Amino acid sequence: MAEENKWKPDEDEEDEELDEAFYKAVKDAVIFVIEVSPSMLTAPPRTDSKKADASSPALAALKCAYSLMQQRIISNPNDMMGVLLYGTEKSKFQSEEQSNGNHTYRHCYLLTDLDIPAAEDVKALKTLVNDGGDFEELLKPSEEPVAMANVLFCANQIFTTKAPNFSSRRLFIITDNDDPHRHDKAMKSSAAVRAKDLYDLGVTIELFPISNPDHEFDRGKFYDDIIYNSSPSDPEAPAPLSGVARPSSTKDGISLLTSLLSSINSKAVAKRALFSDLPLEIGPGFKISVKGYIIYKRQEPKRSCFVSLEGEKAQIATGVTTQMADDTARTVEKVEIRKAFKFGGEQITFTPEEVNELRHFGDPGIRIIGFKPMSMLPIWANLRPSTFIYPSEDDYVGSTRVFAALQKKLLDDKKIGLAWYVARKNATPQIAAIIPGAEKLDDLGAQVIPPGLWITPLPFADDIRQNPETTLIRAPETLIDLMREVIQQLQLPKAVYDPSRYPNPSLQWHYRILQAMALEEDIPEQPDDKTIPKYRQIDKRAGPYATEWGIELETQHAAWEKENRPTASSSASTKRSAAGLTDDLSVRGAKKAKTTGGAGDAVIDDASMKKLFDKNDIKKLTVAELKPWLSSKGLDAVGKKADLVDRVEGFLELI
């Protein structure tokens, strides 16, 4: 395969976008371990709540596994998933022969082996949870207790054989039994040893406890001894969000399925560090070590690929890029290529080594250069998403204590730090604000975001553009007071925007269509869009206030027109000026139309644009290059660069 073209003649901002390649690569393997017992098979008591779920805890757990498998089969096609039941009368492991003979792992039933989910696996699990299938026969609890050490050793064997080199391996235990070996200390000790083996292997154990109406789950009786407080598979990951897992309750009519789905989805995504062990210099010779994460990142559909259908099975077609000389069409080798910049009509060339030297502004790191009151940071002063940083003890012992003191001092004094920030080797240096972040808890007291610091890139003088010249008319105080009433009536719950309540409708619709086609389901008629306003509730809460504001607006507008109505002479003069301006614009438009499309306005050809699209490099084109191409296709060429890029990509996706 030919080398991919990394040097493009007019690529001015190739280093500005943070790509997936700068994350630590993580392949994730997850095993659901679900207990089967009489209490786990008992449906919750009926309630009058419409949101309550009638599923038993075991069935709800299987539905969670099915839901996560649906997501992974499309959004994370390289991740593995498996489902292991324990406490069942039947026993089954990886081979059928073993399931018919002497069982190494008694009362453990491997429902779905750890592997990349296929459409057949999703269909089988869907049949089990929706249609019943062999549910009652399969989920028959054993009469004798199952040893947790045996369950953990079984999971160890699955991870070792199926995902030996995965950097993220996790075990999701779903149970309502907080003390499975209450009368047997030897079994407790044996389970702790097996859990330590999993930890040494790099497996993280996550517990999803279920509280019964008459018994609150107490993880201190057993599970605190087998679940460790740090992540072995990702040493750069933040500390656990909470020492106490959020229990799922059914006694108040809350849906067990919804609660479990919320808990599992919050931990379903593997942690990926943007950088690790980056030095944070607080003063001369005073450094600590930090690691950084991008907590919020725009999720987009996976890029489509080209396939060949000539054989018995569809094969992915791999693109090959060959660079050729413009005048002789001779194939150009990589060693012959130099990067060029236009200056004064000439091409100034550089070797890759010279380009790296030009970009080098010091080793990666964060150097604090001062502190300012938080009130001096304007809301518009950011160029990219903030990076969450957390201390690391790998390079500098004591970093956590110093980091915590810095975070608390900034938070108490309501100050921010200003820093010189170089995220990685040869990255563009930035001036950044270090903003303290407080710990955030949910309604049950579980930690949502740990306390830490946020790095927010600030604009340089070159990045600031002039505001457009506009003539503003200030609204009178009566209109402002009436609008204040409307806004107060339409505030969000707790006046906080919760992004977890609003899935991206375009993204969900895209995945829903793919899922329906892959699983041979009925194509849904319309997407489930939770961003559509609830018009009836809005009208009920704010309708009278909005009507009152509209009436006042008409009154104020009529009064303003009366005060600012032009005289007859000025009106005639204005009309003549407007007519002259219209004629002038017509002439200019004609001249512009005449020059458009000339030899000087080169339009990118379709083949080149398609290559850029395949490599997801459309965004690296300039506005001046995007507009002519859009106009040549009869598409709207007006708007910001992001809008132009979306139109180009939308057009090419249909080809």
Side-chain angles (χ1 to χ4, degrees):
M1 176 180 176
E3 292 289 340
E4 182 179 345
N5 181 12
K6 295 184 179 179
W7 305 105
K8 299 178 178 60
D10 294 319
E11 188 182 66
D12 296 328
E13 299 177 348
E14 71 276 20
D15 195 43
E16 297 301 318
E17 297 291 336
L18 286 177
D19 192 66
E20 291 286 337
F22 295 113
Y23 288 90
K24 288 184 61 181
V26 170
K27 293 174 66 177
D28 193 29
V30 175
I31 299 179
F32 276 78
V33 178
I34 304 171
E35 183 183 13
V36 177
S37 64
S39 59
M40 287 287 288
L41 295 174
T42 303
R46 293 184 177 181
T47 64
D48 297 333
S49 175
K50 296 181 180 180
K51 297 182 178 180
D53 191 78
S55 302
S56 65
L59 181 57
L62 287 172
K63 288 182 178 180
C64 290
Y66 167 64
S67 176
L68 187 60
M69 189 176 289
Q70 281 182 304
Q71 300 172 19
R72 291 296 179 92
I73 195 173
I74 295 176
S75 60
N76 302 86
N78 295 323
D79 291 350
M80 288 187 175
M81 264 195 65
V83 179
L84 175 66
L85 308 177
Y86 72 95
T88 57
E89 184 69 29
K90 291 184 176 181
S91 302
K92 176 187 174 183
F93 194 52
Q94 292 173 331
S95 63
E96 293 295 331
E97 292 78 7
Q98 189 176 9
S99 67
N100 296 327
N102 296 326
H103 305 299
T104 306
Y105 308 105
R106 291 178 57 80
H107 307 303
C108 294
Y109 193 94
L110 188 58
L111 182 63
T112 303
D113 201 359
L114 184 63
D115 205 342
I116 297 175
E120 292 74 14
D121 299 327
V122 182
K123 290 180 183 178
L125 197 54
K126 177 186 177 182
T127 302
L128 180 64
V129 299
N130 291 342
D131 302 333
D134 301 329
F135 183 83
E136 294 183 359
E137 181 181 355
L138 183 62
L139 270 68
K140 183 179 180 181
S142 63
E143 297 180 358
E144 58 183 18
V146 61
M148 286 302 298
N150 204 35
V151 176
L152 297 176
F153 188 54
C154 178
N156 191 322
Q157 182 71 13
I158 297 172
F159 279 124
T160 304
T161 57
K162 289 291 186 176
N165 299 320
F166 276 45
S167 53
S168 173
R169 290 176 285 187
R170 294 178 293 167
L171 200 66
F172 289 178
I173 300 179
I174 304 176
T175 178
D176 64 350
N177 187 359
D178 56 9
D179 194 5
H181 302 305
R182 66 186 62 182
H183 301 302
D184 195 333
K185 292 185 178 180
M187 295 295 288
K188 279 188 177 182
S189 178
S190 179
V193 171
R194 294 301 184 189
K196 182 64 167 57
D197 292 341
L198 282 170
Y199 179 84
D200 293 339
L201 187 65
V203 177
T204 303
I205 301 177
E206 298 279 6
L207 176 66
F208 299 92
I210 297 174
S211 294
N212 295 319
D214 55 349
H215 176 71
E216 193 73 22
F217 195 99
D218 184 5
R219 50 185 291 163
K221 294 181 179 179
F222 175 77
Y223 283 97
D224 277 350
D225 295 331
I226 70 169
I227 296 179
Y228 293 82
N229 289 329
S230 59
S231 173
S233 59
D234 189 359
E236 287 80 24
L241 295 184
S242 176
V244 180
R246 177 178 177 176
S248 301
S249 174
T250 60
K251 56 189 178 184
D252 56 358
I254 299 177
S255 168
L256 171 63
L257 175 60
T258 303
S259 182
L260 267 180
L261 274 174
S262 176
S263 299
I264 288 174
N265 284 335
S266 66
K267 299 181 180 180
V269 179
K271 302 179 180 71
R272 297 190 295 178
L274 176 63
F275 56 77
S276 60
D277 301 330
L278 193 70
L280 170 59
E281 183 178 348
I282 301 175
F286 183 20
K287 297 181 180 180
I288 63 175
S289 182
V290 296
K291 47 188 177 283
Y293 298 84
I294 289 185
I295 304 297
Y296 302 101
K297 184 177 185 297
R298 181 181 178 183
Q299 187 69 24
E300 298 177 350
K302 296 295 180 182
R303 176 65 67 191
S304 59
C305 57
F306 296 99
V307 296
S308 173
L309 302 177
E310 292 183 358
E312 297 180 358
K313 191 175 182 181
Q315 300 291 329
I316 295 180
T318 305
V320 177
T321 301
T322 302
Q323 298 174 359
M324 306 178 67
D326 189 32
D327 52 353
T328 62
R330 178 181 62 86
T331 301
V332 180
E333 301 297 332
K334 182 180 178 181
V335 293
E336 302 178 66
I337 298 174
R338 296 166 66 95
K339 186 159 187 179
F341 293 91
K342 289 183 178 180
F343 185 82
E346 297 183 5
Q347 296 282 2
I348 311 300
T349 62
F350 297 88
T351 64
E353 293 77 14
E354 291 172 336
V355 171
N356 290 336
E357 187 176 350
L358 285 173
R359 291 180 176 177
H360 185 70
F361 280 84
D363 296 329
I366 307 170
R367 184 171 71 248
I368 295 180
I369 57 179
F371 299 94
K372 291 287 186 180
M374 193 175 296
S375 58
M376 294 186 65
L377 181 66
I379 192 173
W380 50 262
N382 62 79
L383 292 176
R384 293 187 183 86
S386 300
T387 302
F388 181 78
I389 60 174
Y390 213 71
S392 170
E393 296 285 330
D394 292 343
D395 289 348
Y396 299 96
V397 177
S399 295
T400 303
R401 183 173 298 181
V402 176
F403 184 92
L406 176 63
Q407 183 264 349
K408 187 175 186 304
K409 182 63 176 174
L410 292 176
L411 202 61
D412 292 344
D413 292 354
K414 296 182 179 179
K415 291 185 179 296
I416 62 171
L418 294 178
W420 175 263
Y421 173 44
V422 180
R424 59 187 183 277
K425 185 178 179 181
N426 293 333
T428 304
Q430 297 173 320
I431 295 294
I434 301 180
I435 304 174
E439 181 184 34
K440 292 186 179 180
L441 307 176
D442 62 9
D443 296 336
L444 298 179
Q447 193 180 69
V448 177
I449 297 180
L453 297 174
W454 296 84
I455 299 286
T456 302
L458 301 178
F460 287 105
D462 315 74
D463 304 322
I464 300 176
R465 299 181 178 181
Q466 295 294 327
N467 291 329
E469 295 183 2
T470 56
T471 302
L472 300 178
I473 301 174
R474 180 174 175 80
E477 293 296 329
T478 53
L479 274 179
I480 296 175
D481 292 339
L482 290 174
M483 181 53 69
R484 186 178 292 112
E485 294 288 341
V486 175
I487 293 175
Q488 289 176 351
Q489 294 299 321
L490 296 179
Q491 281 191 354
L492 294 169
K494 302 180 183 178
V496 176
Y497 169 70
D498 182 7
S500 63
R501 296 168 59 92
Y502 305 100
N504 185 336
S506 174
L507 191 67
Q508 296 299 321
W509 179 243
H510 173 81
Y511 285 155
R512 184 67 186 90
I513 294 297
L514 290 182
Q515 173 188 316
M517 297 182 67
L519 303 182
E520 299 178 355
E521 299 175 345
D522 294 335
I523 302 295
E525 295 182 358
Q526 59 185 7
D528 182 15
D529 189 355
K530 296 186 182 299
T531 64
I532 296 177
K534 298 178 180 179
Y535 295 108
R536 291 186 179 180
Q537 294 185 16
I538 292 174
D539 180 63
K540 183 178 179 181
R541 296 177 60 180
Y545 299 98
T547 302
E548 184 180 358
W549 181 85
I551 295 173
E552 181 65 22
L553 175 63
E554 291 182 355
T555 304
Q556 295 290 344
H557 182 258
W560 180 87
E561 279 192 330
K562 186 176 180 181
E563 293 178 1
N564 295 273
R565 184 174 298 166
T567 61
S569 59
S570 62
S571 176
S573 175
T574 302
K575 289 181 180 180
R576 287 194 297 270
S577 300
L581 179 61
T582 303
D583 295 339
D584 185 40
L585 289 177
S586 300
V587 173
R588 292 184 185 179
K591 292 181 179 179
K592 185 176 180 180
K594 185 176 180 180
T595 58
T596 300
D601 295 326
V603 180
I604 299 177
D605 60 274
D606 294 348
S608 300
M609 188 68 78
K610 186 65 176 175
K611 289 180 181 179
L612 293 172
F613 172 79
D614 294 338
K615 290 186 286 188
N616 199 20
D617 287 340
I618 299 286
K619 58 181 176 291
K620 296 179 181 178
L621 296 175
T622 63
V623 173
E625 292 170 323
L626 293 168
K627 284 187 174 182
W629 191 88
L630 286 168
S631 299
S632 68
K633 302 300 177 185
L635 301 175
D636 185 10
V638 179
K640 297 181 179 179
K641 179 178 178 180
D643 300 327
L644 303 181
V645 170
D646 289 341
R647 290 182 199 132
V648 173
E649 291 181 343
F651 180 88
L652 293 175
E653 283 178 351
L654 300 176
I655 299 178

